[in-house]
Every structure is written in structure tokens, then in C-alpha cells.
Amino acid sequence: MPSPEKHRVAVIGGGAAGLMAAIAAARAGADVFLLEKTPRVGRKLLLTGNGRCNLTHSDCSPRRYHGRRPEFFRTVLTSFPAERTLSFFKELGLLTKTEEDGRVFPLCDQASTVLDLLRDELSRLNVPIHAETEIRNIRNRFDLTCADNRRFKADRVILSTGGLAHPETGSDGKGLLLAEQCGHHLVPVFPVLVPVRVRSPFLKSLKGTRTDCDIELTVDGKPVQRESGEIIFNSDNLSGIPLFQLSRKVTECLQAHRRPSLRIDLLPGINAKVLAEELEGRFRTRPQEPPERALLGLLNKRFIPVLLKTAGFKTESPSGSTVSRSRVSSLVELIKGWSWEITGTLGWAEAQATAGGVDTLEVDPLTMESRLTPGLFFAGEILDVDGDCGGFNLHWAWATGATAGRAAAGTED
Ligand SMILES: Cc1cc2nc3c(=O)[nH]c(=O)nc-3n(C[C@H](O)[C@H](O)[C@H](O)COP(=O)(O)OP(=O)(O)OC[C@H]3O[C@@H](n4cnc5c(N)ncnc54)[C@H](O)[C@@H]3O)c2cc1C
């Protein structure tokens, strides 16, 4: 019996999802080639986890993902849990470690090692990589035309061109237009996992300050999401993982014309009553000293003049023997619930991920194949699914890449 023809599979986009898709398709026996717009594949991968690559999370539960159709990502994640990412990389020779909060990193803490291993595997599988090859048109199942008019032919195509976050890495959103050319609808996109813009006269004096705190997003006065961890004060925004985690809801609220704000608890480990007693004691025992002195050692000293001024203290003169109870309680309220007006988020250049993308109603979650154009598959951030900060987005890239690659080769398992 003649052996069945191998499928000729084109993978468009050499990010995490495309690299995984090309490996999976080649392992499953397809004749695969990879087309990448920039001079090198995996540029964004090198930036991940601050160069350490937070490649998955020990608990990739669907509640850590967002998008219009939760049933879609639930199906994908059920068939591709974190263990499958770990076993894939273990097989490539990568040892990993799981941190206390569940984030998984390479033991060597190097994103570049992850990329080296993926590239080595592609080379072992004889998958050609055509760099500096930007696909502009997909027609007739499937003629692919490049920006410089070169042409490629394939009988299956995996579209893994990413979203719009950090466009200098190559993912500038134009790949979404290719999906539209093939008849797909797009859910409107916006940047997520991004610093939050705030308005405050004090930001300039706090620029560069970092502190561990609890932070709460309130909408029309009601708390809607709470996060903890280190935040950084910048000239017109607050950044750090807690802000990244809140950023999606911030944009959703602003889009719905609601008024989000932040409340920061600068001393989450001390309750308000204990803090009030501590402050009263400090002012009582140091009446000759300026009030700043009483706060020294309690919190980051760059906050002290700002907090005292906001709470109505005169910072130059001595505290005096009687700092009123009401003044102390305003100071406590401020330290435990400092309110910040939100004006928006930063943009694509600072974002780690894209909300929105190809509408997943039009994609089969078991194969990643288009329900509109047979032979067209999707993988990664191009889809209308985004994860929290913590390894969830790379996990999505691996999971969808592996699923699309296997299915495009024609061997679903
Ligand atoms: C700074 C930063 C840090 C991050 N850290 C983490 C982390 O630690 N853990 C985590 O889980 N997630 C992290 N993320 C998110 C994660 O990196 C992405 O979700 C993931 O890389 C998306 O992979 P992708 O393959 O779908 O898209 P991309 O990695 O964006 O790759 C898309 C590729 O397609 C190419 N391309 C685009 N258009 C075309 C075209 N027309 N023709 C040919 N090629 C094209 C692009 O050049 C690019 O190489 C981080 C993101 C950023 C920006």
C-alpha cells in the first residue's frame, strides 16, 4: 500500500505558539515549514519572566483565563494541563523549578535556554525556518504571499502571529488581518497585564519607590478585585504584578463608563487599631521632634512627607505633646487605604498580553481548526483568550500550539 501523502503545513509566526506548533506537526509526520517576519524566531520569548521565562504554572485552571467563551479555553486546558508542558520540556532536556506561588521557571533561569532547546528540536526535525518572511495574504487554501511578493504553497496553515503586545518583537496585530481575510471575526483588542495610569500630585516625588502592599480595585466605591505584592511608583503610573493583574478589569470598567479607583494598604501586616496605638505612642514619646521622625522605621521613608501632608500635618514643626486622635486616625486611614484615581492603562508597548482576538466561536477547541476555512488552524495569543500573569499565557501558547500542530498533521490523539 502506498503511504498516505504527508500534509504540507505552513506555520506563520515563530513565537512560542508557532515554535510548538511546528514541532508538534513535524513530530506527527507532516512536512512543515515556519515563516517568521523578523530576522529571528522567539524574540518575545526572550523577554519573558524578565529573561527567566515563567513557562507555565502548576495550576493552569480555567479561572486564570479570560475571553468571551470560557467553554473554549476550558476544553483546551482540560486536554493540555501544566503536566503536559512540563513533560514536553523535560523531554527536550529542560529541568524546571516550581516557586512557592506555583510559577514554573527553568532551573537555569534562562529564557534563552528555552529558545535554544526549541530551535534545536526544529533543526533535529529538519523544519526549515524562513526568517524575514512576512505573510501579507492567504488565498485559495492556501497560497501565501509575502510582503516582498515571494510565494509559498501549503495544504494546511497554522496562524500563530500573536497579538499586539510589545510590537517591537514582531507581533504588531497585522496577523489578525490574515484571520479576517479568511472570514474570521475579531473580538475587539485591548492591552492587558500592563501598568495602570493614575492621577496624583505626589507621583513625581515618589517616582522609583517600590513597596509590598495590598491593593484593591474599587468600582463606583465597591471593591471588585484584590491583589498583593510589590508595586512600583512611576511618573504617571503604578506598575508591578498586582497592577498587571488588575489592568484587565480597569479597562473593562472604563469601557463601561464606570469609575475605577485604587486603594492601597501600605502596611497590610498591621491592622488599623494596632497601627493607631503605635502612632499615638510614637507621637506621645517624641513631642519635640517633627512628626516625620515618628513614622521613620514604620514604612518606606519616601512616603512619609506625602502621607503627613495629605493627612494635614505640619511637617516642619514638632509634633507637640498632643497630636489629636482625629489626625492620627486620618493618617491611619491613609496608610491602610490610600485612594488613587485611575485614568487608564499604558499601551501596547508596555503590555504583556492582548485581550480579544480571533473569536473562538469559529474555532474547534479540540483541534484549533477554523470552523469556517478547513485546513486553517490557530495557536497562541492571536485567539480571544488571555491569561493572568504567572505563566498562564505561555502555557496557552504551548497548549494551543501542540494541539494545532498535531491536528494539522492529521493525527489528533
Ligand atoms: C515583556 C513580556 C514578558 C512576558 N512574560 C511572560 C511570562 O513570563 N510568562 C508567560 O506565560 N507569558 C509571558 N508573556 C506573554 C507571552 O510571552 C505571550 O503570550 C506569548 O509569547 C505569545 O506567544 P505567540 O506565539 O502567540 O505570539 P508571539 O510570541 O507574539 O509570536 C508571534 C510571532 O509571529 C510573527 N509574525 C507576526 N505577524 C507575522 C506575519 N504576518 N508573517 C510572519 N510572521 C509574523 C512575529 O514576528 C512573532 O515572532 C510576556 C510578554 C511580554 C511582552
Side-chain angles (χ1 to χ4, degrees):
M1 276 243 306
S3 62
E5 279 266 307
K6 279 184 173 188
H7 289 302
R8 184 162 163 76
V9 177
V11 178
I12 307 179
L19 294 168
M20 176 58 122
I23 290 172
R27 283 183 179 179
D31 172 13
V32 187
F33 59 105
L34 180 58
L35 306 167
E36 165 55 41
K37 171 171 133 178
T38 70
R40 284 180 69 81
V41 294
R43 287 177 73 195
K44 187 176 288 175
L45 195 53
L46 295 176
L47 303 182
T48 57
N50 278 329
R52 293 170 63 214
C53 187
N54 176 194
L55 76 159
T56 186
H57 191 280
S58 58
D59 177 20
C60 285
S61 144
R63 72 190 159 78
R64 307 304 300 263
Y65 290 85
H66 316 276
R68 286 223 175 139
R69 303 180 200 287
E71 64 285 3
F72 180 86
F73 51 78
R74 215 174 284 130
T75 305
V76 176
L77 296 163
T78 303
S79 59
F80 203 100
E83 297 75 53
R84 291 197 63 176
T85 293
L86 295 177
S87 62
F88 169 79
F89 281 105
K90 191 168 176 204
E91 207 185 305
L92 294 189
L94 188 77
L95 295 186
T96 55
K97 59 184 171 187
T98 305
E99 300 204 330
E100 255 177 40
D101 56 7
R103 291 182 302 159
V104 180
F105 291 88
L107 195 58
C108 61
D109 277 329
Q110 281 176 316
S112 60
T113 297
V114 177
L115 181 56
D116 287 348
L117 290 168
L118 293 167
R119 288 171 57 100
D120 283 356
E121 182 64 0
L122 284 173
S123 140
R124 187 186 72 78
L125 293 161
N126 295 318
V127 174
I129 298 176
H130 300 269
E132 299 189 88
T133 301
E134 177 182 356
I135 298 303
R136 283 274 175 85
N137 281 298
I138 304 180
R139 290 207 183 88
N140 306 332
R141 296 180 48 196
F142 293 99
D143 290 323
L144 312 176
T145 315
C146 306
D148 57 10
N149 289 324
R150 273 177 302 143
R151 289 179 167 215
F152 293 87
K153 262 196 164 304
D155 41 37
R156 303 267 167 109
V157 167
I158 300 175
L159 202 48
S160 50
T161 48
L164 288 88
H166 274 255
E168 81 285 359
T169 61
S171 50
D172 58 4
K174 288 202 196 122
L176 289 164
L177 304 179
L178 296 174
E180 269 190 322
Q181 272 178 17
C182 298
H184 280 269
H185 292 91
L186 304 181
V187 173
V189 294
F190 59 90
V192 290
L193 307 187
V194 64
V196 173
R197 243 182 237 286
V198 288
R199 197 183 341 254
S200 159
F202 303 118
L203 266 183
K204 285 222 162 65
S205 61
L206 294 175
K207 192 175 162 198
T209 310
R210 293 166 176 264
T211 193
D212 274 322
C213 64
D214 281 357
I215 184 159
E216 193 174 76
L217 179 68
T218 64
V219 179
D220 301 329
K222 293 198 191 84
V224 294
Q225 192 177 336
R226 194 168 288 145
E227 299 291 336
S228 300
E230 187 186 62
I231 68 168
I232 303 137
F233 292 74
N234 301 310
S235 56
D236 66 349
N237 66 79
L238 302 178
S239 65
I241 291 174
L243 278 308
F244 293 168
Q245 306 288 37
L246 297 175
S247 60
R248 194 179 209 286
K249 204 153 261 168
V250 164
T251 302
E252 284 173 345
C253 292
L254 291 168
Q255 286 172 346
H257 305 290
R258 298 178 70 197
R259 292 200 8 242
S261 60
L262 294 171
R263 278 166 64 84
I264 299 176
D265 181 348
L266 290 171
L267 288 175
I270 306 180
N271 75 36
K273 185 164 173 286
V274 171
L275 180 60
E277 285 164 6
E278 173 75 23
L279 286 172
E280 279 165 11
R282 284 175 175 232
F283 288 128
R284 209 171 32 245
T285 51
R286 294 168 181 161
Q288 308 307 331
E289 294 176 0
E292 292 204 6
R293 180 67 187 82
L295 268 73
L296 204 59
L298 202 55
L299 33 68
N300 187 314
K301 65 183 175 189
R302 290 183 71 184
F303 293 123
I304 296 174
V306 172
L307 291 169
L308 289 171
K309 199 165 170 202
T310 312
F313 281 75
K314 289 200 175 60
T315 46
E316 304 78 28
S317 42
S319 307
S321 53
T322 52
V323 170
S324 72
R325 276 238 154 121
S326 71
R327 184 132 307 156
V328 171
S329 70
S330 329
L331 189 55
V332 170
E333 271 174 35
L334 202 56
I335 294 173
K336 297 294 291 173
W338 198 358
S339 185
W340 293 74
E341 187 191 346
I342 293 176
T343 58
T345 69
L346 297 194
W348 293 112
E350 260 69 40
Q352 289 199 359
T354 306
V358 172
D359 190 340
T360 52
L361 188 66
E362 299 165 349
V363 182
D364 179 345
L366 295 174
T367 59
M368 296 293 134
E369 187 168 12
S370 162
R371 294 191 198 275
L372 310 179
T373 305
L376 175 68
F377 297 77
F378 294 96
E381 206 173 304
I382 190 172
L383 290 156
D384 169 33
V385 177
D386 56 287
D388 288 347
C389 191
F392 303 101
N393 286 301
L394 279 177
H395 182 77
W396 181 250
W398 313 131
T400 51
T403 309
R406 264 196 325 274
T411 55
E412 297 96 273
D413 62 21

